[in-house]
């Protein structure tokens, strides 16, 4: 299968060479979607000045030399030099047929690259809160999409598992007992464990002294302290996996790449940066000052490498991640799916890494991209928090979403078995939250509104889930397996044509998401596809079509629409229930 624009572009480039010679070989054909035809070719407007001719004359010459076989039905020059192109119905039908026959629905596999993706990053012995929602599900959708495009994705869950709080936490673990109910609270309510440890630290000077000493032992590699630290880590994994399972993301224990992973590398990075003259001592701390990075009153902003107390800054660990991902993982691209507020910090890390040789000087050799993540807001358009001002627990939000969905399902489908209603409620509740998040540009903020997220109308997860359930119902009624339906496609009605063209856009949309890391573009495509199908279904009877040939053709369109929606939703990490 070939997407229409991809099929037309080489023909336009050949026409340019035939009309104007080798000087224009490789020129952009400037093929764009159009409201006046299937696509518009704007090459004449772009080349007219260079060729010293009027744009309309250039356009006429392109059309005269355009050889496309059965690809197009017409190519007409319009206005000052636009070329409106209409594809042939037979060619569209042929491409749709090829997509339905292809397990990948016509999506091309790209040359494989190694792409580590840094996302989620909760803290050991701390509850995941609403701030972890976006980085987790956006990172996971990008991982799914890039893998589907043929790349080797290395998930990197950079958990916070090191530092001064662990002295306090390990001491508290010792006091309550490793296998006590209080210890196992970390698996279900890690904040309770953390707060209990904090209360002891703040209320007992003896405990605080022991906690500080424990930090020193931890950083020195004391085996018993490391064992206790590992126990906390294992308890936290149970909690992490519960959240990830509820969210339906693909992170596993094998993807954990916490701060502690780089402990042994940090002294060497400090020594290396100092030896290369990149880092200098400033008021007892080792810092990097980079040209162009200034704060208030033009003062340079430091990237802390080693603090005056001997501890390491986040910058040091982040430099170690870059070095590891380039030198050991052999990354071609590295994505950091991290909050937008970290933008300046990451820019400084990348620039320091280039100066140190951890990243190639040429950004094209290894692309490093900060996928900036905006915030989730409450109705007051401020960061979503509890009434006490604490970050809202992520599991609380997810449980609320499932409960909202369950109330709707119980009312709308009381005849379904209880277990099935519970399963649908989970898919709709979690899917609604994820889709609402993914459908917004990743660097934008949005208001968390469960009623809107779970609505069956508009650009929502439940609307698309309902569309897939409706399609499954149609195909069940016809006794058709969507994977096996292969009747020839006929494109005779405008609504059939519009649906067929929209189905052929999947490859281009996924390629774009994989190139610019914007899952909301896939959401927009799926919503438009569902709307286009709805218009088709109203205009073109399927089960009661005029003749068997037309009926079979429309069932093929239905089957491909279902498979495309399900595939797209899966790349977003959203499940599609059989019934709703």
């Amino acid at each position: 299968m070939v997407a229409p624009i991809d099929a037309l572009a080489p023909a336009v480039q050949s026409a340019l060479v035939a009309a104007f010679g080798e000087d224009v070989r490789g020129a952009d054909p400037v093929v764009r979607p159009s409201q006046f035809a299937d696509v518009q070719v704007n090459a004449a407007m772009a080349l007219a000045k260079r060729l010293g001719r009027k744009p309309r004359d250039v356009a006429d010459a392109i059309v005269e030399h355009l050889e496309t076989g059965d690809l197009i039905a017409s190519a007409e020059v319009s206005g000052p030099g636009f070329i409106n192109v209409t594809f042939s119905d037979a060619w569209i039908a042929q491409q749709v047929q090829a997509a339905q026959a292809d397990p990948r629905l016509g999506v091309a596999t790209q040359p494989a690259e190694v792409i580590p993706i840094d996302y989620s990053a909760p803290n050991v012995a701390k509850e995941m809160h609403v701030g972890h929602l976006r980085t987790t599900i956006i990172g996971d959708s990008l991982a799914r999409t890039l893998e589907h495009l043929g790349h080797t994705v290395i998930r990197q869950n950079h958990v916070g598992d090191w530092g001064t709080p662990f002295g306090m936490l390990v001491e508290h673990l010792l006091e309550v007992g490793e296998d006590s109910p209080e210890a196992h609270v970390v698996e279900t309510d890690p904040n309770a464990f953390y707060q209990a440890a904090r209360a002891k630290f703040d209320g007992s000077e003896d405990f605080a002294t022991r906690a500080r000493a424990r930090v020193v032992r931890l950083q020195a590699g004391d085996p018993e302290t490391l064992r206790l630290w590992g126990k906390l880590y294992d308890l936290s994994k149970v909690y992490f996996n519960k959240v990830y399972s509820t969210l339906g993301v693909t992170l596993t224990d094998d993807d954990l790449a916490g701060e502690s992973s780089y402990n042994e590398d940090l002294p060497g990075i400090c020594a290396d940066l100092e030896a290369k003259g990149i880092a200098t001592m400033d008021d007892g701390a080792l810092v990097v000052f980079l040209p162009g990075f200034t704060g208030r009153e033009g003062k340079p902003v430091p990237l802390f490498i080693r603090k005056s107390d001997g501890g390491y800054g986040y910058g040091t660990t982040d430099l170690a991640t870059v070095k590891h991902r380039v030198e050991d993982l052999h990354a071609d691209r590295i994505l950091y799916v991290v909050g937008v507020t970290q933008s300046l910090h990451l820019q400084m890390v990348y620039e320091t890494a280039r100066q140190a040789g951890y990243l190639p000087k040429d950004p094209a050799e290894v692309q490093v991209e900060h996928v900036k993540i905006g915030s989730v807001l409450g109705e007051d358009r401020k960061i979503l928090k509890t009434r006490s001002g604490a970050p809202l627990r992520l599991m609380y939000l997810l449980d609320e979403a499932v409960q909202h969905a369950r109330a709707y399902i119980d009312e709308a489908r009381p005849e379904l078995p209880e277990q099935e209603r519970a399963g649908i409620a989970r898919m709709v509740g979690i899917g609604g939250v994820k889709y609402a998040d993914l459908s917004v540009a990743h660097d934008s903020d949005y208001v968390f509104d469960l009623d809107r997220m779970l609505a069956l109308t508009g650009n929502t997860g439940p609307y698309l889930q309902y569309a897939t359930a409706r399609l499954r119902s149609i195909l069940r009624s016809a006794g058709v397996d969507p994977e096996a339906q292969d009747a020839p496609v006929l494109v005779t009605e405008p609504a059939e044509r519009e649906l067929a063209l929209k189905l052929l856009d999947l490859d281009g949309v996924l390629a774009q998401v994989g190139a610019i890391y914007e899952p909301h573009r896939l959401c927009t495509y799926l919503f438009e596809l569902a709307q286009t199908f709805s218009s088709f279904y109203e205009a073109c009877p399927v089960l009661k079509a005029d003749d068997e040939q037309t009926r079979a053709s429309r069932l093929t369109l239905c089957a491909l629409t279902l498979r495309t929606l399900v595939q797209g939703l899966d790349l977003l990490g959203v499940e599609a229930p059989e019934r709703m």
Side-chain angles (χ1 to χ4, degrees), residues 157-198:
N157 192 356
H158 191 63
V159 297
D161 63 354
W162 202 250
T164 54
F166 283 92
M168 173 184 81
L169 294 168
V170 168
E171 281 300 312
H172 180 53
L173 180 66
L174 271 174
E175 287 200 354
V176 300
E178 295 177 48
D179 297 314
S180 67
E182 291 89 344
H184 283 277
V185 162
V186 176
E187 298 175 339
T188 55
D189 187 6
N191 276 7
F193 185 90
Y194 185 91
Q195 288 162 2
R198 186 78 216 185

Side-chain angles (χ1 to χ4, degrees), residues 335-385:
L335 306 187
Y336 286 79
V337 186
V338 180
V340 67
T341 56
Q342 297 299 310
S343 182
L344 177 63
H345 169 78
L346 287 174
Q347 287 178 44
M348 295 178 73
V349 168
Y350 302 157
E351 181 57 30
T352 303
R354 286 194 179 92
Q355 290 192 16
Y358 306 154
L359 273 175
K361 294 288 186 184
D362 182 359
E365 286 188 44
V366 177
Q367 298 176 37
V368 184
E369 186 79 22
H370 177 198
V371 181
K372 303 179 180 70
I373 303 300
S375 299
V376 183
L377 309 178
E379 292 180 2
D380 58 0
R381 302 200 68 81
K382 296 180 180 178
I383 301 295
L384 191 62
K385 294 182 178 180

Side-chain angles (χ1 to χ4, degrees), residues 436-487:
D437 196 306
L438 290 160
S439 63
V440 176
H442 59 69
D443 55 353
S444 299
D445 300 338
Y446 75 91
V447 174
F448 192 93
D449 180 348
L450 274 179
D451 289 335
R452 178 182 59 81
M453 290 175 170
L454 301 182
L456 280 171
T457 56
N459 187 11
T460 68
Y463 172 76
L464 290 174
Q465 289 171 318
Y466 179 74
T468 64
R470 183 186 184 193
L471 276 157
R472 284 189 168 114
S473 176
I474 293 167
L475 294 167
R476 273 197 303 268
S477 297
V480 165
D481 177 355
E483 301 288 335
Q485 175 67 12
D486 61 356

